[in-house]
Amino acid sequence: DTGVSQDPRHKITKRGQNVTFRCDPISEHNRLYWYRQTLGQGPEFLTYFQNEAQLEKSRLLSDRFSAERPKGSFSTLEIQRTEQGDSAMYLCASSPLAGGNEQYFGPGTRLTVT
Amino acid sequence: SQKIEQNSEALNIQEGKTATLTCNYTNYSPAYLQWYRQDPGRGPVFLLLIRENEKEKRKERLKVTFDTTLKQSLFHITASQPADSATYLCALEKDSNYQLIWGAGTKLIIKP
């Protein structure tokens, strides 16, 4: 399977704990995106990488959120000191450098903060 | 502020009929618009992209129109099937920086 993969698929954590999610994009895609989605809403942009450079970060993203893409391949999203409001589906997408920025999504990581 | 609107009410269509979904936007001049399909518990799946200089785009039973004057895109599924039941999302590029802004999606239900 050469699609976007995410790990884990589900995560249940207690408030205050740190969590880290991983995304493996389609191998030839230079761009990588992280989104958050809650029920009944569209994806909400969190951050964007072109190769290893983080080029854009949402103003909505608090300092508790950090993302890395160290070698321009896989990416990690870490949430520190989780809050109940962080409960959501976290989606990763990748796209090629050429084209119209059509994005290919992974299955998502569903986070539940108790 | 920039805004995308999709009908929040579910759209119920009889199998075999054409389903038409609407995406309206304000305060944008996007170079292109995209449509995605999302099934429950899964990530969105890219369907079609239409550029500002294209009036219409087709792919099999799908057709998208883009009216930059009305600031509206219509998404049509002809000969609809129950398997087409899903939520359909439209997305626009924000400020030419590769960040997409998304509508909330419209849930489509095709009844046999």
Side-chain angles (χ1 to χ4, degrees), chain B residues 12-18 79-84 109-112:
Chain B
N12 288 275
I13 299 291
Q14 195 67 36
E15 181 178 6
K17 301 293 185 184
T18 296
S80 59
Q81 305 166 0
D84 295 327
I109 300 168
I110 307 297
K111 296 182 176 180

Side-chain angles (χ1 to χ4, degrees), chain B residues 23-42:
Chain B
C23 175
N24 294 299
Y25 60 94
T26 58
N27 299 327
Y28 279 107
S29 294
Y32 54 79
L33 182 148
Q34 302 183 28
W35 283 90
Y36 290 76
R37 168 185 173 140
Q38 187 171 26
D39 292 287
R42 306 180 76 89

